[in-house]
CSV table of all heavy atoms in Angstrom, one decimal:
chain,number,residue,atom,x,y,z
N,158,VAL,N,-3.6,-4.5,-11.4
N,158,VAL,CA,-2.9,-3.9,-10.3
N,158,VAL,C,-1.9,-4.9,-9.7
N,158,VAL,O,-0.7,-4.6,-9.5
N,158,VAL,CB,-3.9,-3.5,-9.1
N,158,VAL,CG1,-3.1,-3.1,-7.9
N,158,VAL,CG2,-4.8,-2.4,-9.6
N,159,CYS,N,-2.3,-6.2,-9.6
N,159,CYS,CA,-1.3,-7.2,-9.1
N,159,CYS,C,-0.2,-7.5,-10.1
N,159,CYS,O,1.0,-7.6,-9.7
N,159,CYS,CB,-2.1,-8.5,-8.9
N,159,CYS,SG,-3.5,-8.4,-7.8
N,160,ALA,N,-0.6,-7.5,-11.4
N,160,ALA,CA,0.5,-7.8,-12.4
N,160,ALA,C,1.5,-6.6,-12.4
N,160,ALA,O,2.7,-6.9,-12.6
N,160,ALA,CB,-0.2,-7.9,-13.8
N,161,LYS,N,1.0,-5.4,-12.3
N,161,LYS,CA,2.0,-4.3,-12.3
N,161,LYS,C,2.9,-4.3,-11.0
N,161,LYS,O,4.1,-4.1,-11.1
N,161,LYS,CB,1.2,-2.9,-12.3
N,161,LYS,CG,2.2,-1.8,-12.3
N,161,LYS,CD,1.5,-0.4,-12.2
N,161,LYS,CE,2.6,0.7,-12.1
N,161,LYS,NZ,2.0,2.0,-12.0
N,162,ALA,N,2.3,-4.6,-9.9
N,162,ALA,CA,3.1,-4.7,-8.6
N,162,ALA,C,4.2,-5.6,-8.8
N,162,ALA,O,5.4,-5.3,-8.4
N,162,ALA,CB,2.2,-5.0,-7.5
N,163,ILE,N,4.0,-6.8,-9.3
N,163,ILE,CA,5.0,-7.8,-9.5
N,163,ILE,C,6.0,-7.4,-10.5
N,163,ILE,O,7.2,-7.5,-10.3
N,163,ILE,CB,4.4,-9.2,-9.8
N,163,ILE,CG1,3.5,-9.7,-8.7
N,163,ILE,CG2,5.4,-10.2,-10.2
N,163,ILE,CD1,2.6,-10.9,-9.0
N,164,GLU,N,5.5,-6.9,-11.6
N,164,GLU,CA,6.4,-6.4,-12.7
N,164,GLU,C,7.4,-5.3,-12.2
N,164,GLU,O,8.6,-5.3,-12.5
N,164,GLU,CB,5.6,-5.9,-13.8
N,164,GLU,CG,6.5,-5.3,-15.0
N,164,GLU,CD,5.9,-4.1,-15.7
N,164,GLU,OE1,5.7,-3.1,-15.0
N,164,GLU,OE2,5.7,-4.2,-16.9
N,165,GLN,N,6.8,-4.4,-11.4
N,165,GLN,CA,7.7,-3.3,-10.9
N,165,GLN,C,8.8,-3.8,-10.0
N,165,GLN,O,9.9,-3.3,-10.0
N,165,GLN,CB,6.8,-2.3,-10.1
N,165,GLN,CG,5.8,-1.5,-11.0
N,165,GLN,CD,6.5,-0.6,-12.0
N,165,GLN,OE1,7.1,0.4,-11.6
N,165,GLN,NE2,6.5,-0.9,-13.3
N,166,ALA,N,8.4,-4.8,-9.1
N,166,ALA,CA,9.5,-5.4,-8.3
N,166,ALA,C,10.5,-6.0,-9.2
N,166,ALA,O,11.8,-5.9,-8.9
N,166,ALA,CB,8.9,-6.4,-7.3
N,167,GLU,N,10.1,-6.8,-10.2
N,167,GLU,CA,11.1,-7.5,-11.0
N,167,GLU,C,12.0,-6.5,-11.8
N,167,GLU,O,13.2,-6.7,-11.9
N,167,GLU,CB,10.3,-8.4,-12.0
N,167,GLU,CG,9.6,-9.5,-11.4
N,167,GLU,CD,8.7,-10.2,-12.4
N,167,GLU,OE1,8.3,-9.7,-13.4
N,167,GLU,OE2,8.3,-11.4,-12.1
N,168,LEU,N,11.4,-5.4,-12.3
N,168,LEU,CA,12.2,-4.4,-13.0
N,168,LEU,C,13.2,-3.7,-12.0
N,168,LEU,O,14.3,-3.5,-12.4
N,168,LEU,CB,11.2,-3.4,-13.6
N,168,LEU,CG,10.4,-3.8,-14.8
N,168,LEU,CD1,9.4,-2.7,-15.2
N,168,LEU,CD2,11.3,-4.2,-16.0
N,169,ALA,N,12.7,-3.3,-10.9
N,169,ALA,CA,13.6,-2.6,-9.9
N,169,ALA,C,14.7,-3.5,-9.4
N,169,ALA,O,15.8,-3.0,-9.2
N,169,ALA,CB,12.7,-2.1,-8.7
N,170,GLN,N,14.4,-4.8,-9.3
N,170,GLN,CA,15.5,-5.7,-8.8
N,170,GLN,C,16.5,-6.1,-9.8
N,170,GLN,O,17.5,-6.8,-9.5
N,170,GLN,CB,14.8,-7.0,-8.3
N,170,GLN,CG,14.0,-6.8,-7.0
N,170,GLN,CD,14.9,-6.4,-5.8
N,170,GLN,OE1,15.4,-5.2,-5.7
N,170,GLN,NE2,15.2,-7.3,-4.9
N,171,GLN,N,16.4,-5.6,-11.1
N,171,GLN,CA,17.5,-5.7,-12.0
N,171,GLN,C,18.7,-5.0,-11.6
N,171,GLN,O,19.8,-5.2,-12.1
N,171,GLN,CB,17.0,-5.2,-13.4
N,171,GLN,CG,16.0,-6.0,-14.1
N,171,GLN,CD,15.5,-5.5,-15.4
N,171,GLN,OE1,16.2,-4.6,-16.0
N,171,GLN,NE2,14.5,-6.1,-16.0
N,172,ARG,N,18.6,-4.1,-10.5
N,172,ARG,CA,19.7,-3.4,-9.9
N,172,ARG,C,20.7,-4.5,-9.4
N,172,ARG,O,21.9,-4.2,-9.2
N,172,ARG,CB,19.2,-2.5,-8.8
N,172,ARG,CG,18.7,-3.3,-7.6
N,172,ARG,CD,17.8,-2.5,-6.6
N,172,ARG,NE,17.3,-3.3,-5.6
N,172,ARG,CZ,17.7,-3.4,-4.4
N,172,ARG,NH1,18.7,-2.7,-4.0
N,172,ARG,NH2,17.1,-4.2,-3.5
N,173,LEU,N,20.2,-5.7,-9.1
N,173,LEU,CA,21.1,-6.7,-8.5
N,173,LEU,C,21.7,-7.6,-9.5
N,173,LEU,O,22.5,-8.5,-9.1
N,173,LEU,CB,20.2,-7.6,-7.5
N,173,LEU,CG,19.5,-6.9,-6.4
N,173,LEU,CD1,18.6,-7.8,-5.6
N,173,LEU,CD2,20.5,-6.2,-5.4
N,174,GLN,N,21.4,-7.4,-10.8
N,174,GLN,CA,21.9,-8.3,-11.9
N,174,GLN,C,21.3,-9.7,-11.8
N,174,GLN,O,20.8,-10.2,-12.8
N,174,GLN,CB,23.4,-8.4,-11.9
N,174,GLN,CG,24.1,-7.2,-12.6
N,174,GLN,CD,24.1,-6.0,-11.8
N,174,GLN,OE1,24.6,-6.0,-10.6
N,174,GLN,NE2,23.6,-4.9,-12.3
N,175,ILE,N,21.3,-10.3,-10.6
N,175,ILE,CA,20.7,-11.7,-10.4
N,175,ILE,C,19.7,-11.6,-9.2
N,175,ILE,O,20.1,-11.2,-8.1
N,175,ILE,CB,21.8,-12.7,-10.2
N,175,ILE,CG1,22.7,-12.9,-11.4
N,175,ILE,CG2,21.1,-14.1,-9.9
N,175,ILE,CD1,23.8,-13.9,-11.1
N,176,TRP,N,18.5,-11.9,-9.5
N,176,TRP,CA,17.5,-11.9,-8.4
N,176,TRP,C,16.5,-13.0,-8.7
N,176,TRP,O,15.7,-12.9,-9.7
N,176,TRP,CB,16.7,-10.6,-8.2
N,176,TRP,CG,15.9,-10.5,-7.0
N,176,TRP,CD1,16.2,-10.7,-5.7
N,176,TRP,CD2,14.4,-10.3,-7.0
N,176,TRP,NE1,15.1,-10.6,-4.9
N,176,TRP,CE2,14.0,-10.3,-5.7
N,176,TRP,CE3,13.5,-10.0,-8.0
N,176,TRP,CZ2,12.7,-10.1,-5.3
N,176,TRP,CZ3,12.2,-9.8,-7.6
N,176,TRP,CH2,11.8,-9.9,-6.3
N,177,GLU,N,16.5,-14.1,-8.0
N,177,GLU,CA,15.6,-15.2,-8.2
N,177,GLU,C,14.9,-15.5,-6.9
N,177,GLU,O,15.3,-16.4,-6.1
N,177,GLU,CB,16.4,-16.4,-8.6
N,177,GLU,CG,17.1,-16.2,-10.0
N,177,GLU,CD,17.9,-17.5,-10.4
N,177,GLU,OE1,18.1,-18.4,-9.6
N,177,GLU,OE2,18.4,-17.5,-11.6
N,178,PRO,N,13.8,-14.8,-6.6
N,178,PRO,CA,13.1,-14.9,-5.3
N,178,PRO,C,12.5,-16.3,-5.2
N,178,PRO,O,11.9,-16.8,-6.2
N,178,PRO,CB,12.1,-13.8,-5.4
N,178,PRO,CG,11.8,-13.6,-6.9
N,178,PRO,CD,13.2,-13.8,-7.5
N,179,LYS,N,12.5,-16.9,-4.1
N,179,LYS,CA,11.9,-18.2,-3.8
N,179,LYS,C,10.7,-18.1,-2.9
N,179,LYS,O,9.8,-18.9,-3.0
N,179,LYS,CB,13.0,-19.1,-3.2
N,179,LYS,CG,14.3,-19.2,-4.0
N,179,LYS,CD,14.1,-19.8,-5.3
N,179,LYS,CE,15.4,-20.0,-6.1
N,179,LYS,NZ,15.2,-20.5,-7.4
N,180,LEU,N,10.8,-17.2,-1.9
N,180,LEU,CA,9.8,-17.1,-0.9
N,180,LEU,C,9.1,-15.8,-0.9
N,180,LEU,O,9.8,-14.7,-0.9
N,180,LEU,CB,10.4,-17.4,0.5
N,180,LEU,CG,9.5,-17.2,1.7
N,180,LEU,CD1,8.4,-18.3,1.7
N,180,LEU,CD2,10.3,-17.4,3.0
N,181,ALA,N,7.8,-15.7,-0.9
N,181,ALA,CA,7.0,-14.5,-0.9
N,181,ALA,C,6.0,-14.5,0.2
N,181,ALA,O,5.3,-15.5,0.5
N,181,ALA,CB,6.4,-14.2,-2.3
N,182,PHE,N,5.8,-13.3,0.8
N,182,PHE,CA,4.6,-13.1,1.7
N,182,PHE,C,3.7,-12.1,1.0
N,182,PHE,O,4.1,-11.2,0.3
N,182,PHE,CB,5.0,-12.4,3.0
N,182,PHE,CG,5.8,-13.3,4.0
N,182,PHE,CD1,6.0,-14.6,3.7
N,182,PHE,CD2,6.1,-12.8,5.2
N,182,PHE,CE1,6.7,-15.4,4.6
N,182,PHE,CE2,6.8,-13.6,6.1
N,182,PHE,CZ,7.1,-14.9,5.8
N,183,VAL,N,2.4,-12.4,1.1
N,183,VAL,CA,1.4,-11.4,0.6
N,183,VAL,C,0.5,-11.1,1.8
N,183,VAL,O,0.0,-12.0,2.5
N,183,VAL,CB,0.5,-12.0,-0.5
N,183,VAL,CG1,-0.6,-11.1,-0.9
N,183,VAL,CG2,1.3,-12.4,-1.7
N,184,THR,N,0.5,-9.8,2.2
N,184,THR,CA,-0.3,-9.4,3.3
N,184,THR,C,-1.7,-8.9,2.9
N,184,THR,O,-1.8,-8.0,2.1
N,184,THR,CB,0.4,-8.3,4.2
N,184,THR,OG1,0.7,-7.2,3.3
N,184,THR,CG2,1.7,-8.9,4.8
N,185,GLY,N,-2.7,-9.5,3.4
N,185,GLY,CA,-4.1,-9.2,3.0
N,185,GLY,C,-4.6,-10.4,2.1
N,185,GLY,O,-3.9,-10.9,1.2
N,186,ALA,N,-5.8,-10.8,2.4
N,186,ALA,CA,-6.5,-11.9,1.7
N,186,ALA,C,-7.8,-11.4,1.0
N,186,ALA,O,-8.7,-12.2,0.9
N,186,ALA,CB,-6.7,-13.1,2.6
N,187,GLY,N,-7.8,-10.2,0.6
N,187,GLY,CA,-8.9,-9.7,-0.2
N,187,GLY,C,-8.6,-10.0,-1.7
N,187,GLY,O,-7.7,-10.9,-2.0
N,188,GLN,N,-9.3,-9.4,-2.6
N,188,GLN,CA,-9.1,-9.7,-4.0
N,188,GLN,C,-7.7,-9.5,-4.5
N,188,GLN,O,-7.1,-10.3,-5.3
N,188,GLN,CB,-10.1,-8.9,-4.9
N,188,GLN,CG,-9.9,-7.4,-4.8
N,188,GLN,CD,-10.8,-6.7,-5.8
N,188,GLN,OE1,-11.4,-7.3,-6.7
N,188,GLN,NE2,-10.8,-5.3,-5.7
N,189,ILE,N,-7.0,-8.4,-4.1
N,189,ILE,CA,-5.7,-8.1,-4.5
N,189,ILE,C,-4.7,-9.1,-3.9
N,189,ILE,O,-3.8,-9.7,-4.6
N,189,ILE,CB,-5.3,-6.7,-4.1
N,189,ILE,CG1,-6.1,-5.6,-4.7
N,189,ILE,CG2,-3.8,-6.4,-4.4
N,189,ILE,CD1,-6.1,-5.6,-6.2
N,190,GLY,N,-4.9,-9.4,-2.6
N,190,GLY,CA,-4.0,-10.4,-2.0
N,190,GLY,C,-4.2,-11.8,-2.7
N,190,GLY,O,-3.2,-12.5,-2.9
N,191,LEU,N,-5.4,-12.2,-3.0
N,191,LEU,CA,-5.6,-13.5,-3.6
N,191,LEU,C,-5.1,-13.6,-5.0
N,191,LEU,O,-4.4,-14.6,-5.4
N,191,LEU,CB,-7.1,-13.9,-3.5
N,191,LEU,CG,-7.7,-14.1,-2.2
N,191,LEU,CD1,-9.2,-14.2,-2.3
N,191,LEU,CD2,-7.1,-15.3,-1.5
N,192,LEU,N,-5.3,-12.6,-5.8
N,192,LEU,CA,-4.9,-12.6,-7.2
N,192,LEU,C,-3.3,-12.5,-7.2
N,192,LEU,O,-2.7,-13.1,-8.1
N,192,LEU,CB,-5.5,-11.4,-8.0
N,192,LEU,CG,-7.0,-11.6,-8.2
N,192,LEU,CD1,-7.6,-10.4,-8.9
N,192,LEU,CD2,-7.3,-12.9,-9.0
N,193,THR,N,-2.7,-11.7,-6.3
N,193,THR,CA,-1.3,-11.6,-6.3
N,193,THR,C,-0.7,-13.0,-5.9
N,193,THR,O,0.3,-13.4,-6.5
N,193,THR,CB,-0.8,-10.6,-5.2
N,193,THR,OG1,-1.3,-9.3,-5.6
N,193,THR,CG2,0.7,-10.5,-5.2
N,194,SER,N,-1.3,-13.7,-5.0
N,194,SER,CA,-0.9,-15.0,-4.6
N,194,SER,C,-0.9,-15.9,-5.8
N,194,SER,O,0.0,-16.7,-6.0
N,194,SER,CB,-1.8,-15.6,-3.5
N,194,SER,OG,-1.7,-14.7,-2.3
N,195,LEU,N,-2.0,-15.9,-6.6
N,195,LEU,CA,-2.1,-16.7,-7.8
N,195,LEU,C,-1.0,-16.4,-8.7
N,195,LEU,O,-0.3,-17.3,-9.2
N,195,LEU,CB,-3.4,-16.3,-8.5
N,195,LEU,CG,-3.5,-16.8,-10.0
N,195,LEU,CD1,-3.4,-18.3,-10.1
N,195,LEU,CD2,-4.8,-16.2,-10.6
N,196,MET,N,-0.7,-15.1,-9.0
N,196,MET,CA,0.4,-14.7,-9.9
N,196,MET,C,1.7,-15.1,-9.5
N,196,MET,O,2.6,-15.6,-10.3
N,196,MET,CB,0.3,-13.2,-10.2
N,196,MET,CG,-1.0,-12.8,-10.9
N,196,MET,SD,-1.1,-11.1,-11.3
N,196,MET,CE,-2.8,-11.0,-11.9
N,197,LEU,N,2.0,-15.0,-8.2
N,197,LEU,CA,3.3,-15.5,-7.7
N,197,LEU,C,3.4,-17.0,-7.7
N,197,LEU,O,4.5,-17.5,-8.0
N,197,LEU,CB,3.5,-14.9,-6.2
N,197,LEU,CG,3.6,-13.4,-6.1
N,197,LEU,CD1,3.7,-13.0,-4.6
N,197,LEU,CD2,4.9,-12.9,-6.8
N,198,ARG,N,2.4,-17.7,-7.5
N,198,ARG,CA,2.4,-19.2,-7.6
N,198,ARG,C,2.7,-19.5,-9.1
N,198,ARG,O,3.4,-20.5,-9.4
N,198,ARG,CB,1.1,-19.8,-7.2
N,198,ARG,CG,0.9,-19.7,-5.7
N,198,ARG,CD,1.9,-20.7,-5.0
N,198,ARG,NE,1.8,-22.0,-5.4
N,198,ARG,CZ,2.8,-22.8,-5.7
N,198,ARG,NH1,4.1,-22.4,-5.7
N,198,ARG,NH2,2.6,-24.1,-6.1
N,199,LEU,N,2.1,-18.8,-10.0
N,199,LEU,CA,2.3,-19.1,-11.4
N,199,LEU,C,3.8,-18.9,-11.8
N,199,LEU,O,4.3,-19.5,-12.8
N,199,LEU,CB,1.4,-18.2,-12.3
N,199,LEU,CG,-0.1,-18.5,-12.3
N,199,LEU,CD1,-0.8,-17.4,-13.1
N,199,LEU,CD2,-0.4,-19.9,-12.8
N,200,ARG,N,4.5,-18.0,-11.0
N,200,ARG,CA,5.9,-17.8,-11.3
N,200,ARG,C,6.8,-18.7,-10.4
N,200,ARG,O,8.0,-18.5,-10.4
N,200,ARG,CB,6.2,-16.3,-11.0
N,200,ARG,CG,5.6,-15.3,-12.0
N,200,ARG,CD,5.4,-13.9,-11.5
N,200,ARG,NE,4.9,-13.0,-12.5
N,200,ARG,CZ,3.7,-13.0,-12.9
N,200,ARG,NH1,2.7,-13.8,-12.4
N,200,ARG,NH2,3.3,-12.1,-13.8
N,201,GLY,N,6.2,-19.6,-9.7
N,201,GLY,CA,7.0,-20.7,-9.1
N,201,GLY,C,7.4,-20.3,-7.6
N,201,GLY,O,8.2,-21.1,-7.1
N,202,LEU,N,6.9,-19.3,-7.0
N,202,LEU,CA,7.3,-18.9,-5.7
N,202,LEU,C,6.5,-19.7,-4.7
N,202,LEU,O,5.4,-20.0,-4.9
N,202,LEU,CB,7.2,-17.4,-5.4
N,202,LEU,CG,8.3,-16.5,-5.9
N,202,LEU,CD1,8.2,-16.3,-7.4
N,202,LEU,CD2,8.3,-15.1,-5.2
N,203,GLU,N,7.1,-20.0,-3.5
N,203,GLU,CA,6.4,-20.4,-2.3
N,203,GLU,C,5.7,-19.2,-1.7
N,203,GLU,O,6.4,-18.2,-1.5
N,203,GLU,CB,7.3,-21.1,-1.3
N,203,GLU,CG,6.5,-21.7,-0.1
N,203,GLU,CD,7.4,-22.4,0.8
N,203,GLU,OE1,8.7,-22.4,0.6
N,203,GLU,OE2,6.9,-23.1,1.7
N,204,VAL,N,4.4,-19.3,-1.5
N,204,VAL,CA,3.7,-18.1,-1.1
N,204,VAL,C,2.9,-18.3,0.2
N,204,VAL,O,2.2,-19.3,0.3
N,204,VAL,CB,2.6,-17.7,-2.2
N,204,VAL,CG1,1.8,-16.5,-1.8
N,204,VAL,CG2,3.4,-17.4,-3.5
Side-chain angles (χ1 to χ4, degrees):
V158 171
C159 305
K161 180 186 175 181
I163 295 169
E164 179 216 60
Q165 293 294 288
E167 293 170 342
L168 288 172
Q170 289 295 75
Q171 290 180 11
R172 68 195 175 105
L173 302 174
Q174 279 73 57
I175 298 175
W176 187 59
E177 297 180 352
K179 306 296 184 185
L180 176 63
F182 287 2
V183 177
T184 55
Q188 61 172 352
I189 298 297
L191 293 172
L192 292 174
T193 299
S194 300
L195 163 64
M196 293 179 186
L197 292 174
R198 288 293 299 136
L199 291 174
R200 289 158 177 77
L202 278 75
E203 183 176 9
V204 178

